[in-house]
Amino acid sequence: MRVISGQHKGAKLISPRGEVRPTTDMVKGSLFSMLDSKDLLRGKKCLDIFCGSGALGIEALSRGAQSCVFVDLDCKNVRLNLDKLRITAQTLQSDFRRAMRMLKADKFDLVFCDPPYRTDYAEEVYKLLVKYGMLAEGGVAVLEHASDRPLKTIPKANVIDSRVFGVSAFEIVRGESESDICGNV
């Protein structure tokens, strides 16, 4: 796994061992091309939930994002990668629900959410982003999930773009009012 573009292009990242599914370079390249084309990256304040190695947030920083907060139950690898690249960023070693409660006063332009695939965490993260008002005006969330488990509670009108890459899929979703979200958190 490596940084594919920007200031840290080519830097190899340390990834977690065990049952992990890092976002491939092809998926990451497509995602960041879309974000760049929609002017959703440069100078933006980011949040990387279920960050693992921090690959998505680090890619965003490498391509000109202003800042990124990294959240995971285990932040060892992201901290090693940030230190290796001499990037100063906040890390929160916490369950995503607790971390989002702690960050709910903050506004983010871009949120990456790449949870374990066989969960409904991506939809729960989106509901919490809306409930807490964490997306800045014009802000978006990138929700990655298994392609055979579509996101059911996200209003179709809020989906800006989506892609499927084999077993992986992602949606770029804009925030709306809590009343636009199906279900409760």
Side-chain angles (χ1 to χ4, degrees):
M1 193 168 24
R2 63 187 176 87
V3 179
I4 57 175
S5 190
Q7 178 183 356
H8 300 289
K9 181 180 180 177
K12 292 186 180 190
L13 300 176
I14 299 163
S15 62
R17 296 191 188 275
E19 281 191 47
V20 294
R21 176 204 29 76
T23 302
T24 66
D25 285 353
M26 182 178 74
V27 174
K28 194 166 40 168
S30 176
L31 169 63
F32 280 91
S33 289
M34 288 180 359
L35 294 172
D36 272 336
S37 73
K38 296 175 189 310
D39 198 27
L40 295 170
L41 196 54
R42 290 206 175 280
K44 304 300 184 186
K45 186 175 175 185
C46 304
L47 174 62
D48 189 351
I49 302 174
F50 303 101
C51 68
S53 66
L56 294 174
I58 289 171
E59 187 74 35
L61 291 168
S62 181
R63 291 174 182 241
Q66 174 188 337
S67 63
C68 188
V69 177
F70 296 87
V71 174
D72 209 313
L73 284 172
D74 181 356
C75 288
K76 183 178 106 183
N77 290 304
V78 69
R79 287 181 184 134
L80 289 171
N81 288 324
L82 292 169
D83 287 347
K84 176 182 176 181
L85 298 173
R86 295 186 181 100
I87 296 172
T88 303
Q90 181 182 0
T91 59
L92 283 175
Q93 186 160 318
S94 174
D95 167 83
F96 75 94
R97 293 173 195 96
R98 182 173 171 259
M100 291 179 77
R101 279 192 306 273
M102 291 168 55
L103 295 167
K104 71 181 179 182
D106 293 337
K107 298 281 187 201
F108 296 94
D109 302 298
L110 179 58
V111 176
F112 298 103
C113 175
D114 185 11
Y117 275 5
R118 299 294 168 206
T119 68
D120 293 324
Y121 292 161
E123 291 177 284
E124 189 174 347
V125 164
Y126 183 71
K127 289 176 188 176
L128 290 171
L129 288 170
V130 172
K131 177 181 180 178
Y132 296 147
M134 294 174 71
L135 287 174
E137 186 173 335
V140 298
V142 176
L143 307 174
E144 194 166 339
H145 58 92
S147 58
D148 65 349
R149 286 182 64 115
L151 302 177
K152 295 178 180 150
T153 63
I154 308 296
K156 298 283 186 228
N158 293 10
V159 178
I160 294 170
D161 211 333
S162 62
R163 294 286 191 277
V164 175
F165 297 91
V167 300
S168 298
F170 65 81
E171 269 74 34
I172 299 176
V173 185
R174 64 187 168 90
E176 290 297 330
S177 69
E178 188 174 358
S179 63
D180 291 339
I181 307 303
C182 303
N184 295 317
V185 177

